[in-house]
Amino acid sequence: MDTTNTTKAPRSEGPRERLLRAADELTYREGMHVGVDAILTAADVARRSLYQHFGGKDGLVTEMLAKTSERTEQLYADALAAGGDDPRERLRSLFAVLEKIPDAPGYRGCPFVNADLTLADPAHPAHDVIRAHKRRLRALLEGELRAAGHPDPAMAGVQLQLLIDGAAAVAASRPDERPAAAARPLVELVISQATPAG
């Protein structure tokens, strides 16, 4: 249940930043099929800037997802830190934050899953960014589960990530079902299997 920045690009930003921000907003709202002309118009930059900074739309989308990954990983780190020192409480803190994300106006699910499903070319460089991002998030979950004394932190990390991605997908299409809240007992079930030493 990752987030994306949907703030309009300030005119004071340079062309590169405006292109990234416009691509972020438009591809999240309208999908990866959004045209280059729409991105250029929203960013208020010349076509030359796109090719100069990114080599084309594929490079722009890939860099945009890398930037979104940085923001999302920071959100995870901050949410875990808010849970204090107990890894179980840290995981609960993370899920409490993730549960609120679908309430944001214009929420359309996980931008990484959305991009992965709509970029048909398996060789598109964005797929590597997406896979690496999901691996890093899973590693964060595994680390907390390992610190909590979970008997199988690798599998439990996969389970928690499935709950996160599944809740994000359902929240995008059926928000009235409150999927993140519905998933909380399953999250607790995974966390409860941890038995701290001592």
Side-chain angles (χ1 to χ4, degrees):
M1 204 175 302
D2 304 299
T3 60
T4 189
N5 187 343
T6 57
T7 308
K8 235 3 184 178
R11 192 64 183 90
S12 59
E13 290 182 338
R16 187 176 193 281
E17 291 74 23
R18 294 205 308 275
L19 281 163
L20 285 167
R21 196 179 293 267
D24 191 2
E25 178 176 336
L26 289 174
T27 59
Y28 188 69
R29 189 176 68 223
E30 300 177 19
M32 286 291 159
H33 63 274
V34 69
V36 167
D37 288 342
I39 294 171
L40 294 174
T41 298
D44 191 22
V45 300
R47 188 174 297 269
R48 183 184 68 238
S49 292
L50 170 65
Y51 293 98
Q52 179 183 3
H53 291 286
F54 303 103
K57 184 184 173 186
D58 287 354
L60 172 61
V61 165
T62 301
E63 179 65 19
M64 175 208 73
L65 287 168
K67 294 292 184 187
T68 304
S69 175
E70 291 174 10
R71 290 194 307 270
T72 303
E73 289 170 39
Q74 188 60 56
L75 177 125
Y76 271 58
D78 292 345
L80 288 167
D85 296 326
D86 182 335
R88 291 168 299 177
E89 289 306 316
R90 288 166 60 85
L91 286 168
R92 290 183 180 109
S93 173
L94 171 63
F95 278 87
V97 169
L98 296 180
E99 192 173 328
K100 296 174 184 172
I101 290 173
D103 295 333
Y107 180 76
R108 295 183 56 81
C110 172
F112 301 96
V113 173
N114 294 348
D116 214 19
L117 293 174
T118 56
L119 293 171
D121 180 2
H124 194 295
H127 292 297
D128 289 336
V129 171
I130 294 163
R131 283 190 288 269
H133 170 75
K134 291 296 185 179
R135 282 195 300 270
R136 288 191 298 271
L137 294 186
R138 190 167 61 248
L140 282 176
L141 298 171
E142 287 180 27
E144 297 298 329
L145 290 158
R146 188 172 292 107
H150 197 285
D152 191 351
M155 178 57 70
V158 171
Q159 291 169 339
L160 291 182
Q161 195 165 51
L162 282 170
L163 290 171
I164 291 168
D165 288 343
V170 174
S173 59
R174 304 189 304 277
D176 54 305
E177 294 181 12
R178 310 295 299 166
R184 283 301 287 274
L186 298 173
V187 171
E188 285 296 328
L189 182 61
V190 173
I191 293 172
S192 71
Q193 294 170 2
T195 53

